[in-house]
Amino acid sequence: MSRLFHFYRRQAPVPGERQPAPTLAAMVWAGLRAGVAAALLAHLPAQAAAVKFQVSGAQGQPLADAVLMLEPQGAHPAVKPLEGIDVAQENRAFLPLVTVVTVGTKVQFPNRDSVRHHVYSFSEARKFELKLYVGKPEKPISFDKAGVVVLGCNIHDQMVGWIVITDTPWYGKSAANGQLSLTDVPAGNYTLRTWHAGLPPGSPGLEQPVVVGPAGQTVAVKLGVR
C-alpha cells in the first residue's frame, strides 16, 4: 500500500518542473467540451419573472377591462389557440364585454336570450356575420389575425362588445382595481401595448417600452380615458 501511495505521489506535478505539452487529441477534446458547454448555456431559457401592472385613467381612476400585451422586441414565440371560448348574448348584452384571445382561437357566440340576435363585425381584423339565430350557432368563428374586433347586433343597436386578438403569450385583462399580474415572463426588452374600449375608435392601443429584469417589477400605465 505504501509503495502504491508512493507511486501516485510521484505523479503529482513538481513545482518548477517543466510539464509536457498537451497532445493534439487533448487539445481537440478540450475544445469540444468548451463548445458543448457554450451551446448548452446559449439554449438555457432566460430567467423568468413576475410583472405587475397598474392601469389608471385620465383622472387617476383605476381602469377595468384594459387589455395589456407584452410584445417581445424581435421574434415572437408561437402562441397556442385557446379552447372553449364563448362570447354570449345575455340580457341583450355581450358577455363578457371584452374578450382576449390568441391568434387562431375559435369563438362560439351562444344566444342565451329568448329573442333572436344578428351578430356581426365589420372590423379589419375579422369580418363576419351570424344572421338571426337562437341557441348556439353550428360553427364557431375563427380569429386568425391580431387586432381589435368590434361586435354589434343588427337588431339591437345598443349591443356592443370587443374581442382583442393577440400574437404574444404574455397578455391579460385588468381587474376592477386596474391591476394585472403576469407570471413567467422571460427577462428582456418588450413593447407594452395597452388597449381599452374608451380609447378612440380604431386605436391599436398605447405603446411603451418595458425592460423585464430577473427580479420582476411593477409598471404603471396611464390612459387618457375618463
Side-chain angles (χ1 to χ4, degrees):
M1 179 70 177
S2 61
R3 298 177 68 180
L4 180 62
F5 178 69
H6 178 73
F7 171 78
Y8 279 110
R9 286 187 61 188
R10 294 285 295 176
Q11 308 309 308
V14 178
E17 184 179 279
R18 185 178 181 181
Q19 301 300 313
T23 64
L24 178 61
M27 295 173 63
V28 171
W29 175 241
L32 286 174
R33 286 190 300 175
V36 170
L40 289 174
L41 288 173
H43 286 83
L44 285 176
Q47 188 172 357
V51 184
K52 297 180 180 180
F53 303 91
Q54 177 65 60
V55 187
S56 58
Q59 298 176 342
Q61 77 279 17
L63 287 182
D65 287 336
V67 178
L68 298 100
M69 298 162 279
L70 271 179
E71 302 171 348
Q73 295 182 9
H76 283 209
V79 295
K80 294 182 179 179
L82 304 180
E83 300 289 340
I85 303 299
D86 287 352
V87 175
Q89 299 104 67
E90 197 169 310
N91 297 322
R92 300 187 182 186
F94 288 106
L95 187 68
L97 181 66
V98 177
T99 302
V100 192
V101 300
T102 50
V103 170
T105 297
K106 292 179 170 58
V107 178
Q108 282 280 9
F109 291 86
N111 180 1
R112 298 172 184 164
D113 286 331
S114 59
V115 297
R116 295 191 295 174
H117 291 299
H118 185 148
V119 178
Y120 69 90
S121 168
F122 294 144
S123 301
E124 186 64 29
R126 185 64 166 98
K127 298 178 181 179
F128 70 93
E129 185 177 23
L130 295 171
K131 295 186 178 181
L132 288 169
Y133 71 97
V134 292
K136 196 173 192 178
E138 183 179 350
K139 294 181 179 180
I141 302 297
S142 180
F143 293 85
D144 301 321
K145 181 180 179 181
V148 179
V149 170
V150 183
L151 304 173
C153 176
N154 209 24
I155 305 300
H156 308 98
D157 291 340
Q158 80 278 9
M159 291 178 61
V160 64
W162 292 268
I163 296 179
V164 180
I165 307 103
T166 181
D167 58 1
T168 175
W170 302 290
Y171 66 90
K173 190 169 64 172
S174 62
N177 60 3
Q179 296 180 3
L180 170 69
S181 181
L182 298 179
T183 58
D184 297 327
V185 180
N189 298 322
Y190 295 82
T191 297
L192 172 64
R193 184 186 303 275
T194 306
W195 176 91
H196 190 273
L199 291 173
S203 171
L206 173 71
E207 292 186 6
Q208 62 188 87
V210 172
V211 179
V212 176
Q217 65 209 82
T218 299
V219 179
V221 180
K222 188 167 185 177
L223 301 178
V225 175
R226 296 186 178 277

